[in-house]
Amino acid sequence: MVEDDGPGILPEDRARLLQPFQRGQIARTDDKSEGVGLGLYLANRIIARHGGSLLLEDAVPAGLRLVVTLPAYSDRAARTAPAGGRRFC
């Protein structure tokens, strides 16, 4: 879990911001070098490929809470994994 006390993300914007090339209203500036809106999208995809989930919710009293849930990794899974690991693309 990661939490901040910034302006947060409006509930109606959260699903949109998990899509590629979406930036929050507060992040919108004329300076295009400040990012292209891929951070939450990529994090969500990586977490999903590992069988987990990413949740954006309100922090109390203000801000945003990002909750990442991943399945437990067992020793058995490590022994049965293909040689060279898995490719997540």
Side-chain angles (χ1 to χ4, degrees), residues 32-67:
K32 300 298 182 196
S33 68
E34 291 188 18
V36 294
L38 285 173
L40 285 175
Y41 169 73
L42 291 174
N44 191 38
R45 294 282 298 174
I46 291 166
I47 292 164
R49 289 288 193 159
H50 286 278
S53 65
L54 181 147
L55 176 66
L56 301 172
E57 55 187 32
D58 292 328
V60 176
L64 181 73
R65 177 181 297 134
L66 184 143
V67 180

